[in-house]
């Protein structure tokens, strides 16, 4: 397939800041005839680190993605051993897997966005801990896998722990089959075990229903109601072993007032959860998010 | 079925403003033992008109909805001949019909909201001028009717006009079967003929993809792009015979910048169209919107 | 002076919720011919408490504010011993005192709002712990008092504590002379001693430069920067002895991103501090804020 | 004076887009040892035009601003005859002149921002068509010039036109003395004559009290009230001979509802006028705004 004007390569790079980085990268691209259609740069005075994201028209380069990667690797190598970089090809479609629970509003939202072509991704599978959502997911042409999790409380704690471990092993197995670019915890309501956090590092994306760092943990809207805040929010972040403490990709809020009960906040907060997750996920899939330590650089 | 704490009557009333209206209504309710759980009042200095919406616990009243209506009619009559009022019973479910076109993002959003129980309504039917959306709509357990509309341009104008008139007659027919509380033009992309505007007055709800009164008519995002605005918006309004000029229920905006092409605005604007329509529709269905002239009073 | 259409009485009332409260109050006003031009009601299901604020045209009542208070006291008494209420007369101008430090942006904002007649208040005095701001304050026709506070750190701790206690005693003294309706900590940067928190309970209003409960205490923007949040905020709240934990009147946020240093956040946050304080203060002065426990009911 | 880390040069450039522009500029800077601390790029697919803004640490370059300009001129020349560019030195302070009328809220806001060092500018003078504001302006150490304008309506039209022309000539004269980087119409309420629009092209900044293109012209809040919109806004734009039609720098909105009278909108809109003007002005002064045709590219 010939490259077209819409066919692009997306380059991201992070390295210790110094003079001449932009010139080195831009020089490399210019020498190859590369036409940069989008470029973001960030020089971070706090960490002394440099970040860039560049989008190049594929039809402006005399070589394909593999050779671009090979040649760019040499450029990156000159920028020091700590440099990290990626080159992605917009013709290689991204895949995501959704983990859902009974709170299905984020899943419905993503199904709709994929159906309208609004989110540039193939929805490889939805994994749910209830089977009620299967028919609608399948009507969208997306495989649905039911992995039951033990209900909280009650019964033998050891048996429950074993059942939960098995459920996570099943989830891991299903996810692995698709090797997705993102594992989206779309209100999954289960805390990932540390080994999955590590296995999916930089790919597991969670939507937390509060404006973090306020209201970490369970029932954040009820915490917000109790405190009497005038705005409620949602946070899209990468999952790390420490609960609700990973690098934040996106946040937003909406106003509430005294007339909103905790149940109203639960309902109204969904609007902001959907939006924040959709934005954060899009940015991740378009390679707009560069992680450094516990913070993100987002070129929106 | 016995009334419960969750079972409520919603009273709305508009009349020329004068002293004692609140006392008259509140006195009537108090005499009957009515427990008001929500109340909104608006005394409009511009028009000299009074508006109220009150929500009463059904289990606090010694009579049912029909008798409440009968008795309230007497109270309303005392407030003058121009008074308009409604009493609705939250146990009588509301029905809506959706009219959609190829731009299906608002439809997907409403399907999701109905599926999660977030929007308190029965989705009676979806009518689309393309049949592509049928399977997903039906997977939600909702009837889908395909009514083809002639494509714009090309062919014999008279034949096209006749085909269009027939299509609208079919739509009217299908809508009438359900007698819905709202006919939602969820990016329907067809201008309603005046007779349908009149037949559905106060029930036909449109989402226009601009912050009205800016960018009336076709391709508002392209108009916005050409003008170089820094925010784009959406407007939910009642349909009247004058295009995009009906009473506004809700509006909102999001930031854009020079890096957004018209196509980006189209995509990004969907987020605000979905939200604005969902909020406006909810308020309409919960009897929170009182229309007076070409303006609305909304008790959110 | 005769009452005019602009002359109003503002009634607020909180009491345990029960049937008939609205009827009792509205009936009282209607019997006296009172014309209600603004009314807010809130029935709180969580606490079982009722709140109202009503604005009555003074020229519609056959008596003045003192007699209104006398008569309304009887109505309130019928609503039970826990009832609290106020009746204020819009002709009795409100007074505020500002406490400021070196961070003078909120003070400048309030001076400007008072100068344009935008904030309905008499600025009785500004008390600053630096004297640099005196000339501008006085150019606005407002008395400025310089009360120096000991610099943090260094020197003999006991002497510093004594100097600080003396400074607060001076502030208390100056404030008392004006008996203000609000003592505004316009980025005062000193923690009020518990006895002043108690003496000014319900009148001391603080602007905290974070979206509480995130980032309590010192240098909240630096905390926000370290956490990598995508929004920063400000909170206007009543001061209580527990730091940054009093009832919240108003909050708002603005977006930040990776390119904002902590210093940028300090600068950009000022925009939201000014707005949030101005809104919260206005609502307080217009008797729109009813406090119950650690939460507020705001009728905006 | 030696350059410091805080001392910077700001380069802006617009030219027809082609391959290699970034490389050419970055290469030039890298060869000189220039350390880029901030960089924005925009490649506009609609116009085929390229825009950039770059900030370089002065202490990283072996030459001063004049030599930088000389050398950069050669680079720019290579990019074609349509190229426009600027190099500014953050040590050369910017000057502004404010034109004000009776609506002084924007003026007070800017005075406060300059007083706190928040806006990086020297306020060279305030010119007012009423003298009431003189004392406060002068307390800020800023010269105030009173230039009376004839009141609208009444009297001999020819005499009024002559008086107005004279007033504008006086304003022009006063402005010229300061050769400011921006002439800010801070709610000046007079329509600039075409010759002043031309003389101050790219420097005259207006704040219009609506979300343009809605509500062009007089009394926009009253127009907004009549239409029943749910948001009101403000627009900061460059002044051109066509009224309220110049390139938009910044816009924002706030919610209103049925309870807001036109007078409430006037008052509440001030909050957004202040903010929008302050942001737009800052961006202009920091060379963040590049104008192309009737649109702006803003690197915030």
């Amino acid at each position: 397939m010939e490259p077209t004007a819409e066919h692009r390569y997306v380059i991201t790079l992070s390295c210790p800041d110094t003079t001449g980085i932009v010139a080195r990268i831009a020089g490399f691209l210019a020498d190859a005839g590369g036409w940069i259609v989008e470029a973001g740069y960030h020089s971070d005075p706090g960490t002394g680190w440099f970040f860039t994201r560049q989008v190049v028209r594929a039809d402006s380069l005399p070589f394909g993605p593999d050779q671009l990667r090979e040649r760019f690797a040499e450029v990156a190598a000159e920028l020091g051993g700590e440099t990290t970089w990626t080159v992605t090809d917009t013709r290689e479609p991204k895949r995501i897997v959704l983990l859902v629970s009974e709170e299905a509003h984020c899943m419905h939202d993503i199904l709709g966005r994929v159906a309208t072509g609004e989110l540039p991704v193939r929805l490889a599978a939805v994994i749910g801990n209830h089977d009620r959502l299967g028919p609608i997911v399948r009507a969208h042409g997306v495989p649905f896998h039911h992995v039951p999790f033990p209900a909280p409380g009650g019964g033998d704690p050891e048996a429950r722990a074993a059942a939960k471990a098995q459920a996570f092993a099943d989830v891991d197995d299903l996810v692995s089959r698709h090797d997705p670019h993102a594992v989206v915890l779309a209100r999954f309501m289960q805390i990932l075990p540390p080994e999955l956090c590590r296995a999916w590092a930089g790919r597991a994306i969670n939507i937390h229903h509060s404006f973090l760092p306020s209201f970490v943990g369970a029932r954040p809207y009820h915490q917000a109601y109790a405190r009497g805040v005038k705005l409620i929010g949602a946070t899209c972040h990468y999952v790390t072993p420490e609960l609700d403490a990973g690098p934040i990709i996106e946040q937003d809020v909406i106003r509430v007032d005294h007339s909103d009960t905790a149940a109203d906040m639960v309902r109204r907060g969904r609007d902001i959860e959907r939006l924040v997750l959709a934005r954060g996920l899009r940015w991740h899939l378009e390679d707009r998010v560069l992680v450094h330590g516990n913070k993100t650089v987002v070129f929106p």
Side-chain angles (χ1 to χ4, degrees), chain A:
Chain A
M1 193 162 47
E2 284 301 289
T4 67
E6 290 308 299
H7 180 198
R8 277 136 196 221
Y9 302 124
V10 179
I11 300 169
T12 72
L13 178 144
S14 315
C15 66
D17 200 5
T18 182
T19 303
I21 304 173
V22 179
R24 185 68 195 86
I25 298 171
F28 160 72
L29 288 171
D31 288 348
W35 186 347
I36 303 169
V37 290
E38 212 184 314
Y41 295 88
H42 175 54
S43 175
D44 195 76
T47 57
W49 212 260
F50 173 84
F51 306 87
T52 187
R53 174 184 183 270
Q54 311 209 17
V55 183
V56 184
R57 279 178 61 162
D59 63 357
S60 70
L61 290 176
F63 41 68
D66 292 335
Q67 211 175 338
L68 174 58
R69 283 189 192 102
E70 248 171 64
R71 293 178 183 222
F72 192 76
E74 292 168 33
V75 176
E78 293 170 31
L79 299 172
E82 294 179 281
T83 302
T84 60
W85 60 275
T86 62
V87 172
T88 55
D89 179 343
T90 58
R91 276 213 184 138
E92 295 163 4
K94 299 279 178 88
R95 294 173 307 281
I96 58 173
V97 170
L98 251 60
L99 308 189
V100 300
S101 176
E102 286 213 311
E103 292 275 320
H105 52 284
C106 286
M107 183 204 76
H108 284 293
D109 186 62
I110 290 174
L111 283 175
R113 287 171 190 267
V114 172
T116 57
E118 200 176 322
L119 200 60
V121 77
R122 196 166 70 73
L123 185 42
V126 174
I127 301 172
N129 61 16
H130 298 84
D131 59 6
R132 203 171 46 81
L133 301 169
I136 286 174
V137 173
R138 291 188 192 109
H140 279 267
V142 174
F144 180 85
H145 306 291
H146 177 211
V147 177
F149 274 71
D156 172 20
E158 266 182 47
R160 208 165 59 236
K164 198 165 185 172
Q166 181 56 51
F168 270 120
D170 293 348
V171 168
D172 187 15
D173 199 51
L174 287 163
V175 166
S176 298
R177 281 190 222 166
H178 299 288
D179 188 26
H181 297 84
V183 183
V184 182
L185 284 70
R187 297 295 310 274
F188 182 47
M189 310 298 278
Q190 301 282 344
I191 296 173
L192 284 197
E195 60 274 16
L196 282 188
C197 293
R198 277 189 294 270
W200 300 341
R203 292 187 298 154
I205 292 177
N206 186 44
I207 179 73
H208 183 74
H209 39 316
S210 85
F211 178 65
L212 291 173
S214 286
F215 312 134
V216 164
R219 295 167 66 81
Y221 291 124
H222 292 77
Q223 296 182 51
Y225 175 79
R227 180 61 186 93
V229 292
K230 300 299 185 188
L231 300 164
I232 53 172
T235 303
C236 177
H237 64 95
Y238 290 110
V239 178
T240 56
E242 189 184 344
L243 184 65
D244 299 332
I248 294 171
I249 305 172
E250 172 63 344
Q251 303 187 289
D252 215 335
V253 295
I254 45 167
R255 293 192 80 80
V256 290
D257 70 18
H258 57 265
S259 71
D260 290 296
T261 62
D264 291 332
M265 291 185 184
V266 167
R267 173 178 58 75
R268 299 192 51 210
R270 288 174 178 167
D271 276 344
I272 213 75
E273 294 169 38
R274 278 185 278 251
L275 269 183
V276 165
L277 176 56
R279 285 203 292 252
L281 179 56
R282 160 180 295 278
W283 293 339
H284 172 81
L285 292 171
E286 294 182 344
D287 301 295
R288 296 181 183 279
V289 188
L290 282 69
V291 177
H292 189 74
N294 204 44
K295 295 170 73 171
T296 61
V297 171
V298 180
F299 297 109

